[in-house]
Amino acid sequence: IGNYENTPNSVLVVDNSGSMPNPEKGISVPVLAATVISNAYLDNNAKVSVYNFGGHDFLLPFSNDKEGVHAAVRQYSGGGTQFTSQIFYSLLEGSDTEFDVSVISDMEISNLEGFIQTVLRIPKTHRIHLIHTKGNGAWLKEQFASYQNVAVISLYRAEDIPNLVMGELPKSIF
């Protein structure tokens, strides 16, 4: 993606529940996509935070350590899809600059709309990318059609990653 100033930081929210591919057992397209997204921000002098949820939550505060971020996106618990919002929101509210939030999940998150509404109320939220890994996403597009700065993106195969990186991310990486 080019090298630009004023790139917002990135918060990667990665579903690591049992319904998602285990990166320890082969290539996980969601983990690969999270890695590519993190590189796009890090290569433009932004910081990346990682929140893995689903059984055992894992949180990496904002960092510019590429290896640390890559290790964080590979965390996997295989538990149930539970989103613990309190710790996550305190991280966002403590950010010293604008940030994008990229949620990579099968989107079987019961409080997804409430989560999006809350994140959008945080003044430093720049954009939200809902990157779904199952279904056609029509219900997501319909549910969030009226939301500004929320993009719904399909991610089914590794071949979808270039469309993600060339389609939506350049709107944030100015």
Side-chain angles (χ1 to χ4, degrees):
I1 293 181
N3 189 359
Y4 301 96
E5 295 180 19
N6 301 323
T7 300
N9 287 336
S10 173
V11 180
L12 295 173
V13 181
V14 182
D15 183 347
N16 69 21
S17 68
S19 63
M20 299 297 287
N22 183 343
E24 296 171 3
K25 294 186 177 182
I27 294 174
S28 166
V29 172
V31 168
L32 181 60
T35 302
V36 170
I37 292 168
S38 72
N39 288 346
Y41 285 88
L42 292 168
D43 290 348
N44 283 285
N45 300 313
K47 292 182 179 180
V48 175
S49 176
V50 179
Y51 174 58
N52 277 344
F53 70 98
H56 301 287
D57 291 358
F58 178 83
L59 181 66
L60 175 73
F62 287 103
S63 173
N64 57 6
D65 173 20
K66 195 176 271 192
E67 288 182 28
V69 170
H70 292 176
V73 300
R74 289 191 307 265
Q75 296 290 319
Y76 184 80
S77 69
T81 306
Q82 295 179 350
F83 188 80
T84 309
S85 56
Q86 190 173 17
I87 295 169
F88 182 67
Y89 295 141
S90 66
L91 169 78
L92 297 181
E93 290 172 340
S95 176
D96 59 357
T97 185
E98 281 192 331
F99 54 84
D100 290 341
V101 177
S102 297
V103 181
I104 303 173
S105 174
D106 56 17
M107 298 298 164
E108 295 175 6
I109 306 168
S110 61
N111 62 343
L112 181 62
E113 187 164 13
F115 162 74
I116 299 300
Q117 290 172 353
T118 301
V119 171
L120 285 172
R121 283 194 294 271
I122 298 171
K124 294 186 174 133
T125 301
H126 182 251
R127 290 185 58 77
I128 298 176
H129 307 114
L130 297 177
I131 304 166
H132 66 95
T133 61
K134 286 186 180 173
N136 67 10
W139 68 273
L140 276 172
K141 290 177 182 175
E142 184 177 314
Q143 185 172 0
F144 294 104
S146 65
Y147 287 69
Q148 281 191 315
N149 297 329
V150 176
V152 176
I153 306 157
S154 300
L155 176 69
Y156 307 120
R157 315 165 293 157
E159 293 80 12
D160 294 330
I161 294 172
N163 294 334
L164 165 68
V165 174
M166 299 309 291
E168 280 302 318
L169 290 187
K171 293 178 183 176
S172 290
I173 301 176
F174 340 100

